[in-house]
Amino acid sequence: MMRSSLRTTIPGLIGTGRKCRHVYANVIRARLELLDNIVIPATNDGHWCFEGRTIIPKVNVDGTLLHKEIILKDFSRQRVVFLPFDEKAGRAVPRKNNIYQIQLGTEKDDWSVSISTLRPDDWFSDGVAYPKLSWLSGVLLPKLVQWSTECRQSEFKSTLSLIPVEKYSCMYQQLKEKYKEMVKVWPEVTDPEKFVYEDVAIATYLLVLWEEERAEKGLTAKQSFVDLGCGNGLLVHILSNEGHPGKGIDIRKRKIWDMYGPQTHLEESAITPSDSFLFPDADWLIGNHSDELTPWIPVISSRSSYSCRFFVLPCCFFDFCGKYQRRQCKKSQYKEYIDFISEVSTVCGFNVEEDCLRIPSTKRVCLIGKTRNYERSGEARMDELRTQYIQKRLSCPAAISKREATAGGAGADSSECRDRGEGELSEEVHLNSGRDWGEGFQPRDKVEPTRNCASLPRGFIDSVVLRVGQALLGLSPEEPRGKDSWNQGGSLSVKEVAELLDKDTLQNLKKECGGLQTLLKNNHQVFKVEGGRVQIRDWRVQASEGKGKPRPKTTPSGALKTRPCWFHTHHPQGCPLSSEHCTFAHGPTDLRPATRPLKKQKNR
């Protein structure tokens, strides 16, 4: 037996447990005879039990999607044994390799965890269902100890708690394969891999959710939908291609819209909460990162028709009249906002369900309103309650201050409302459940200004970088000693860096999202910003710190040297890397024209 490391649920896999058929019992006994003569009783007597599970890798390996294994839980010996097998003609055929066990033991007053593998020389690793033994022993064992000792309680439900995981996983594989070519032709400035696979995952969730709904209600026609604030429209494209009639609406047309074809219906329009934007014929309304529309989607859905349902995936924190203002310090801001949208949905008459999606995003909790908490005959009374609730939210001091300032009210202090963002009200709002119930809502601008310091003049940015860089280098007055010594300077807090700059410079930076810290992070060639402190970046140790991929031994020709090296020009000792190892140009003769586009930005 070889000591290694493993855990019951391997990262990157999805396990679905089910009770094993009695015919597998003989298989278990046969395989366990190979493991230190374990004596297995003839029936389950409370000392041990077993079950089978199907493991569905996220990546198709060797032409198969499924891996099967039997899990034996031996309570008397405090261990779990995993026995992989194949099913052929209705019979379980055990595998001879990849048998492993996890053992919990005690040593005096300490607990211990040991993981053993049978026949390590025959261990088969496909990189997905079965990792390499070196990974098991070098990475997973510390993690297993950490998971065993830490106490973590999530604020949210487990992932994919409302739909069948196995069905989701199989459909996701199919859709990912079907739409993966979108990554190669993505014309937007957003990161193609993130947004394509994220929308594929969201579409998969909705398709499975809707399939389960049809089965539950005995429906045959596929549900219709409207995606409010559809953005790039890929979610609309996938759902439409999979047979669901619907459309997407957004205030700004994207380049990619023209690539989808006539079967994908997308409209360029500013959405305002009013009778002009009700959708009585739609079965579902979708809000996928819908920003200032997010709290309005349950309202629009409830007023569109009694049978209209909604799915919303909140991201940015908006209230009815602008940015959401925190009210509870005991919760995370994200949890508090999810609870707020859930409260809005309940007031609008929905039985709200919450789930966590499997997407590459930190904001992945969705809210679903499939059923109402009142009868159809109570619609008039329910709409009165909705109106009262929204009016109360819109009568907050910040909203009143904003309206007074816009109307020229004397002495109005609108500073609080200015901080509330794009969804602010610019005039008095009247909510009467009639035509003007959304009057005053301010959608985002059709052309959104760039506010990440990228639009600042290059000369202005260079002067700030030089000022900060020289200040950091000046914190090491002594000349470095030794042939390989290179002055990295000292470190300053972001606040201390701000004190180095004049008032006009700081005013220009305050107009940008993130301000000074964003500018410093954008210039990652020069600076390293972590934990609110700034220091000079040393590219010699970049790879050893685990920050990104290791540096290449030599710089490939092409577009890498499209910018000059700041250290070669401004550092007293020059660049710590030689010209062939540095990805920035050491002098004008080292500059090369760009032969391929730079990596896409990741903003939505």
Side-chain angles (χ1 to χ4, degrees):
M1 303 287 286
M2 186 192 87
R3 290 295 178 189
S4 181
S5 57
L6 198 62
R7 55 172 282 212
T8 53
T9 303
I10 302 174
L13 304 181
I14 305 157
T16 57
R18 65 183 67 163
K19 288 297 180 182
C20 203
R21 293 183 300 212
H22 184 68
V23 70
Y24 296 154
N26 292 333
V27 176
I28 294 176
R29 296 190 188 93
R31 303 315 303 159
L32 288 179
E33 289 175 0
L34 300 173
L35 292 172
D36 55 18
N37 299 320
I38 298 177
V39 178
I40 303 299
T43 59
N44 287 1
D45 60 358
H47 295 291
W48 68 276
C49 68
F50 60 89
E51 63 181 35
R53 74 172 178 179
T54 300
I55 301 176
I56 309 167
K58 292 182 178 180
V59 180
N60 192 346
V61 180
D62 298 331
T64 180
L65 288 174
L66 305 179
H67 296 264
K68 295 178 181 293
E69 62 185 9
I70 296 170
I71 305 174
L72 173 68
K73 301 176 183 179
D74 186 350
F75 299 107
S76 61
R77 297 172 183 257
Q78 295 181 320
R79 64 182 168 190
V80 181
V81 182
F82 299 83
L83 307 166
F85 69 94
D86 296 316
E87 266 188 324
K88 296 182 180 178
R91 298 182 58 189
V93 180
R95 296 182 184 177
K96 295 181 179 180
N97 55 0
N98 292 29
I99 299 175
Y100 59 95
Q101 75 172 19
I102 300 177
Q103 175 93 43
L104 178 65
T106 57
E107 297 178 1
K108 296 183 179 180
D109 296 331
D110 296 327
W111 292 93
S112 66
V113 177
S114 64
I115 302 177
S116 308
T117 60
L118 183 68
R119 298 181 179 180
D121 293 338
D122 295 332
W123 183 275
F124 168 73
S125 173
D126 57 15
V128 180
Y130 299 104
K132 295 181 179 180
L133 290 179
S134 59
W135 182 88
L136 302 180
S137 59
V139 177
L140 194 53
L141 185 56
K143 282 289 185 182
L144 189 57
V145 173
Q146 176 186 340
W147 293 326
S148 301
T149 56
E150 69 181 358
C151 180
R152 295 181 59 186
Q153 294 183 348
S154 174
E155 295 179 301
F156 306 103
K157 291 188 176 181
S158 59
T159 304
L160 306 181
S161 61
L162 298 181
I163 62 174
V165 178
E166 184 171 346
K167 184 181 293 186
Y168 170 90
S169 302
C170 292
M171 184 178 292
Y172 176 76
Q173 287 284 354
Q174 297 167 2
L175 294 182
K176 185 177 180 181
E177 185 70 21
K178 185 175 181 179
Y179 296 100
K180 66 180 182 180
E181 295 300 319
M182 295 296 301
V183 174
K184 300 179 181 179
V185 298
W186 193 257
E188 302 295 329
V189 298
T190 49
D191 180 19
E193 289 195 6
K194 178 187 187 302
F195 284 94
V196 170
Y197 295 135
E198 180 172 318
D199 283 353
V200 167
I202 296 171
T204 303
Y205 186 92
L206 287 171
L207 290 171
V208 174
L209 180 72
W210 293 346
E211 183 178 332
E212 293 295 300
E213 182 184 57
R214 292 197 301 273
E216 178 184 340
K217 296 182 177 181
L219 304 175
T220 54
K222 292 190 174 182
Q223 294 91 331
S224 60
F225 70 93
V226 178
D227 187 351
L228 302 178
C230 63
N232 58 55
L234 181 57
L235 180 59
V236 178
H237 178 65
I238 297 174
L239 296 176
S240 299
N241 274 359
E242 300 307 312
H244 288 270
K247 66 179 180 180
I249 306 175
D250 200 276
I251 193 171
R252 178 167 50 90
K253 181 179 179 181
R254 308 303 201 271
K255 297 177 183 177
I256 199 172
W257 285 15
D258 295 328
M259 300 176 58
Y260 292 138
Q263 78 282 358
T264 302
H265 301 286
L266 299 168
E267 297 180 8
E268 184 179 12
S269 177
I271 304 169
T272 57
S274 63
D275 283 355
S276 300
F277 285 93
L278 294 178
F279 307 95
D281 297 328
D283 295 318
W284 284 80
L285 297 188
I286 299 172
N288 173 22
H289 292 181
S290 45
D291 294 344
E292 69 272 11
L293 281 173
T294 299
W296 289 104
I297 286 178
V299 182
I300 298 173
S301 178
S302 64
R303 287 178 168 169
S304 291
S305 71
Y306 183 77
S307 60
C308 186
R309 288 87 77 191
F310 76 87
F311 167 94
V312 64
L313 181 61
C315 180
C316 300
F317 308 138
F318 282 90
D319 205 326
F320 293 113
C321 57
K323 291 287 187 178
Y324 178 79
Q325 301 296 314
R326 295 201 64 179
R327 291 166 175 81
Q328 300 182 41
C329 61
K330 295 183 179 180
K331 301 179 182 178
S332 67
Q333 184 179 19
Y334 185 44
K335 173 60 175 174
E336 183 181 342
Y337 188 68
I338 292 294
D339 289 346
F340 165 61
I341 300 300
S342 179
E343 177 186 288
V344 173
S345 305
T346 302
V347 171
C348 287
F350 288 98
N351 297 311
V352 189
E353 297 178 276
E354 178 185 304
D355 205 353
C356 191
L357 304 186
R358 184 175 281 122
I359 58 176
S361 174
T362 57
K363 308 292 177 59
R364 55 196 188 100
V365 176
C366 68
L367 295 172
I368 299 169
K370 292 196 299 182
T371 59
R372 304 293 177 101
N373 55 26
Y374 64 97
E375 298 296 329
R376 187 188 295 266
S377 58
E379 179 62 39
R381 174 56 183 162
M382 179 56 65
D383 200 52
E384 291 180 5
L385 297 177
R386 295 181 197 123
T387 301
Q388 293 172 8
Y389 178 81
I390 298 171
Q391 182 65 70
K392 183 178 179 180
R393 300 290 305 187
L394 291 176
S395 62
C396 66
I400 295 174
S401 175
K402 174 64 177 180
R403 292 198 293 269
E404 290 177 349
T406 305
D413 181 7
S414 60
S415 59
E416 181 180 0
C417 214
R418 278 201 303 270
D419 294 335
R420 294 177 69 85
E422 297 172 350
E424 300 160 350
L425 296 173
S426 58
E427 56 186 279
E428 188 66 45
V429 175
H430 303 281
L431 291 171
N432 300 313
S433 74
R435 192 167 75 127
D436 298 329
W437 56 269
E439 182 184 351
F441 170 79
Q442 181 64 47
R444 63 179 56 199
D445 295 332
K446 186 172 183 178
V447 179
E448 296 189 54
T450 302
R451 296 179 58 199
N452 60 356
C453 296
S455 61
L456 292 172
R458 189 70 243 177
F460 174 84
I461 296 175
D462 290 342
S463 65
V464 174
V465 171
L466 182 60
R467 177 74 181 89
V468 177
Q470 290 176 338
L472 293 172
L473 292 174
L475 295 177
S476 294
E478 296 184 1
E479 289 293 330
R481 299 177 180 178
K483 181 172 138 183
D484 297 329
S485 296
W486 185 76
N487 180 18
Q488 193 180 353
S491 70
L492 293 171
S493 67
V494 175
K495 181 180 179 180
E496 291 171 331
V497 172
E499 293 173 352
L500 300 173
L501 306 177
D502 58 76
K503 183 178 180 180
D504 291 339
T505 298
L506 293 175
Q507 285 295 333
N508 287 331
L509 290 173
K510 284 182 178 180
K511 298 175 183 178
E512 302 293 319
C513 289
L516 175 60
Q517 186 163 252
T518 296
L519 185 144
L520 297 173
K521 288 184 175 181
N522 286 351
N523 288 272
H524 64 277
Q525 179 202 166
V526 184
F527 302 115
K528 179 180 177 182
V529 184
E530 288 184 351
R533 298 198 67 83
V534 186
Q535 65 184 85
I536 296 292
R537 185 178 296 276
D538 188 349
W539 285 99
R540 298 172 300 175
V541 299
Q542 187 69 12
S544 63
E545 290 181 348
K547 305 292 185 182
K549 298 180 180 179
R551 308 295 295 173
K553 292 183 178 179
T554 58
T555 301
S557 61
L560 287 178
K561 293 197 175 185
T562 58
R563 293 184 58 189
C565 176
W566 187 90
F567 299 108
H568 178 78
T569 305
H570 299 289
H571 196 285
Q573 297 172 272
C575 181
L577 302 177
S578 63
S579 177
E580 63 177 353
H581 293 144
C582 183
T583 56
F584 300 94
H586 286 197
T589 58
D590 207 17
L591 279 170
R592 297 188 180 98
T595 58
R596 57 179 172 83
L598 298 177
K599 185 177 180 180
K600 307 288 187 183
Q601 298 178 9
K602 293 189 177 182
N603 56 305
R604 178 174 168 82

